[in-house]
Amino acid sequence: MTYCVGLLLDQGMVLIADTRTNAGLDNVSTYRKLTIIEKPGERVLALAAAGNLSMSQSVVGLLEEGIEDAETGTIQKLEDAGSLFQAVQLVGRAVRQVRSIHEPGLKEAGLSFDVSFLFGGQIAGEPMRLFMVYAAGNFIECGQDAPFLQIGEHKYGKPILDRAVGYDSDLYDALKIGLISMDSTMRSNLGVGLPIDIAVIRRDALEAELVHRIEAGETYFHDLRERWSAALRAAHMAIPRPPYGQKR
Amino acid sequence: MTYCVGLLLDQGMVLIADTRTNAGLDNVSTYRKLTIIEKPGERVLALAAAGNLSMSQSVVGLLEEGIEDAETGTIQKLEDAGSLFQAVQLVGRAVRQVRSIHEPGLKEAGLSFDVSFLFGGQIAGEPMRLFMVYAAGNFIECGQDAPFLQIGEHKYGKPILDRAVGYDSDLYDALKIGLISMDSTMRSNLGVGLPIDIAVIRRDALEAELVHRIEAGETYFHDLRERWSAALRAAHMAIPRPPYGQKR
């Protein structure tokens, strides 16, 4: 399992991805699921993956090698894409290409082709954009009304995002809320776990402002988890008890 | 969709069920999913259902009519079950009986037999117990370590339960926390909605202390939703921003 969340705000973008992978409960490991592609001053792109690890790694590998354009024969890479829209189209093509290779074999094994990606960033001269790419290679774009996208085990961590994040949120407040969302998910699903990779990209900076891995035992994140638990307990204590008590 | 939560505490039991059913987004309706069976002073039982409405209604209908014992030919009802364990076994038998009738037809239609139940209460001379019954008619019992069970759309509302409920929680605090859990679910899944049916059964009372329907627009629940949203926003504001800021 995996949980990744991307937030697209007025001040910039935050991406958070856990690193746990598991093939059954008895085969748990740590893999990086967040990739940053950077040409400082020209473009900064980020890609986070969820789903079958062998499939998502194949997609990332294909994007690194470059995809041949069937018509012109040129090799296309994210580093050279002319726009973010062309870049996300390229991610979609990579997904479809990997799917066409592996889906028949997966089906024979009774498995489904199950990957999804968050992909976003900024290219000089363009606005910052964030997309979610589905297993069919199609994609949607993040808007301002619900300024976040999630992939993987998304339900446990959604209530806090629904309530606390707005397009005008401060970039590091959004990072904090994203980490709370990750914490809620980790508490409820053992398939999501530390370390956590985070990236913060400030709008128009055209390079990552922060790329960091939160390891188990790190003070800030440990403190955040404790404070959030205490705050939740205090929050419900402040609400009056239900007034119902009469028998029907 | 449905969301039901049952809490088994030192002081007693709380059951909360929404009433929304939908066959597609364009066919939404309200059905009671919480049934109370009471012989005051002798037994009080509660049954909450999730999943395919026609299947869960058939199970409830079968339990109301009574199930014939294949060996003795007697009709067995929840009202007469000798113990809570025998009662939950009867619920499981009803599930298997409905399944055996309908599963072939469902399969032909490309559907699966999808129901689950929360079932619990107390019979004079026995402890209070709470069970979750699966679509195969098997069941698990709620323990003190995680003193709640959920059926239906359970993920959005689980983080608050994980953090805020303990076996020693006050009965009406637990009801409040259950309503917060329901609120989180309703905000994230349109398939879960008002009105909400609630039941509170105090341990050893052998009758329901409270059976109530929360209708849309009810002041207390509206106020709870507002206060909880405000409290969540305040809770994350009180946590310091992440200290990360150095470039890698």
Side-chain angles (χ1 to χ4, degrees):
Chain A
M1 210 60 213
T2 299
Y3 175 48
C4 305
V5 55
L7 302 112
L8 180 64
L9 311 160
D10 186 36
Q11 294 178 9
M13 183 179 294
V14 173
L15 276 159
I16 306 174
D18 85 313
T19 56
R20 186 161 294 178
T21 65
N22 63 297
L25 276 173
D26 55 351
N27 188 357
V28 174
S29 192
T30 299
Y31 283 90
R32 187 172 185 85
K33 302 169 194 169
L34 179 63
T35 308
I36 310 289
I37 298 141
E38 223 178 0
K39 287 186 184 175
E42 198 274 316
R43 73 182 55 202
V44 52
L45 305 173
L47 183 68
N52 185 302
L53 185 67
S54 67
M55 297 300 118
S56 64
Q57 284 189 343
S58 292
V59 170
V60 173
L62 196 57
L63 288 167
E64 280 171 357
E65 293 247 317
I67 301 179
E68 192 176 320
D69 185 312
E71 290 179 16
T72 65
T74 55
I75 300 296
Q76 300 184 307
K77 291 188 175 193
L78 291 177
E79 286 85 336
D80 310 316
S83 68
L84 258 170
F85 190 73
Q86 288 172 27
V88 70
Q89 285 182 308
L90 196 64
V91 175
R93 277 182 57 199
V95 172
R96 285 192 297 275
Q97 200 159 317
V98 172
R99 181 175 195 138
S100 69
I101 296 168
H102 291 289
E103 195 167 39
L106 288 173
K107 271 198 177 155
E108 275 178 39
L111 301 170
S112 62
F113 181 79
D114 161 36
V115 293
S116 53
F117 294 87
L118 296 179
F119 175 69
Q122 191 170 18
I123 295 176
E126 281 198 7
M128 182 170 259
R129 300 174 80 171
L130 175 65
F131 299 90
M132 174 158 62
V133 183
Y134 296 101
N138 55 333
F139 48 85
I140 60 169
E141 182 170 3
C142 186
Q144 293 187 15
D145 293 316
F148 61 88
L149 292 171
Q150 304 168 284
I151 54 175
E153 176 63 280
H154 63 282
K155 291 189 179 183
Y156 297 117
K158 187 163 182 284
I160 179 64
L161 297 171
D162 279 333
R163 286 189 164 98
V165 178
Y167 184 70
D168 56 355
S169 294
D170 174 87
L171 200 51
Y172 285 84
D173 276 342
L175 172 59
K176 182 175 69 180
I177 295 163
L179 291 175
I180 292 171
S181 172
M182 180 64 78
D183 171 46
S184 293
T185 311
M186 285 167 49
R187 280 184 71 104
S188 290
N189 189 329
L190 288 179
V192 177
L194 287 161
I196 297 168
D197 287 317
I198 58 179
V200 174
I201 306 170
R202 195 168 289 276
R203 192 177 288 269
D204 299 328
L206 295 170
E207 63 178 342
E209 180 168 304
L210 167 69
V211 176
H212 179 70
R213 170 165 287 191
I214 300 176
E215 301 281 357
E218 200 192 82
T219 312
Y220 173 75
F221 189 63
H222 179 81
D223 183 55
L224 174 140
R225 302 187 81 175
E226 296 285 315
R227 282 172 183 259
W228 182 245
S229 277
L232 278 194
R233 282 191 295 272
H236 83 78
M237 293 303 281
I239 297 176
R241 282 185 188 159
Y244 323 119
Q246 70 289 9
K247 187 97 193 289
R248 69 185 178 289
Chain B
M1 209 59 212
T2 299
Y3 175 48
C4 304
V5 56
L7 302 112
L8 180 64
L9 311 161
D10 186 35
Q11 294 178 9
M13 184 180 295
V14 173
L15 275 159
I16 306 174
D18 85 314
T19 56
R20 187 161 294 179
T21 65
N22 63 297
L25 275 174
D26 54 353
N27 189 357
V28 174
S29 193
T30 298
Y31 282 89
R32 188 172 185 86
K33 301 170 195 169
L34 179 62
T35 308
I36 310 290
I37 297 141
E38 225 178 358
K39 285 186 186 176
E42 198 275 317
R43 74 182 56 200
V44 53
L45 306 172
L47 184 68
N52 185 301
L53 184 66
S54 68
M55 296 301 117
S56 63
Q57 285 188 342
S58 292
V59 171
V60 174
L62 196 57
L63 288 167
E64 281 171 356
E65 295 247 316
I67 301 178
E68 192 177 321
D69 186 311
E71 290 179 16
T72 65
T74 56
I75 300 297
Q76 300 185 306
K77 293 188 174 192
L78 292 177
E79 286 86 336
D80 310 317
S83 68
L84 259 170
F85 190 72
Q86 287 173 27
V88 70
Q89 285 182 309
L90 196 64
V91 175
R93 278 182 56 200
V95 171
R96 286 194 296 274
Q97 200 158 318
V98 171
R99 181 175 195 139
S100 69
I101 296 167
H102 292 289
E103 195 167 39
L106 289 172
K107 271 198 176 151
E108 274 179 38
L111 301 170
S112 62
F113 182 80
D114 162 36
V115 292
S116 52
F117 294 88
L118 296 178
F119 175 71
Q122 192 170 16
I123 294 177
E126 283 199 4
M128 182 170 258
R129 299 173 82 172
L130 175 66
F131 298 90
M132 174 158 63
V133 183
Y134 296 100
N138 54 334
F139 48 84
I140 59 169
E141 182 170 3
C142 186
Q144 293 187 15
D145 294 316
F148 61 88
L149 293 171
Q150 304 168 285
I151 53 174
E153 176 64 282
H154 63 281
K155 291 189 179 182
Y156 297 117
K158 188 163 182 283
I160 179 64
L161 296 172
D162 278 334
R163 286 186 164 102
V165 179
Y167 184 70
D168 56 354
S169 293
D170 174 87
L171 201 50
Y172 285 84
D173 275 343
L175 172 59
K176 183 175 69 182
I177 295 162
L179 291 175
I180 293 170
S181 171
M182 180 63 77
D183 172 45
S184 294
T185 311
M186 285 166 51
R187 281 185 70 105
S188 291
N189 188 328
L190 289 180
V192 178
L194 287 163
I196 297 169
D197 287 316
I198 57 178
V200 175
I201 305 170
R202 196 168 288 275
R203 191 178 289 269
D204 298 329
L206 295 170
E207 62 178 340
E209 180 167 305
L210 168 69
V211 177
H212 179 71
R213 170 164 287 191
I214 300 176
E215 302 281 355
E218 200 192 82
T219 312
Y220 173 76
F221 189 63
H222 178 82
D223 183 56
L224 175 139
R225 304 187 80 175
E226 296 287 315
R227 281 172 184 260
W228 181 246
S229 276
L232 278 193
R233 283 192 295 272
H236 83 77
M237 293 303 281
I239 297 175
R241 284 185 186 157
Y244 323 119
Q246 68 290 10
K247 187 98 191 291
R248 71 184 178 286

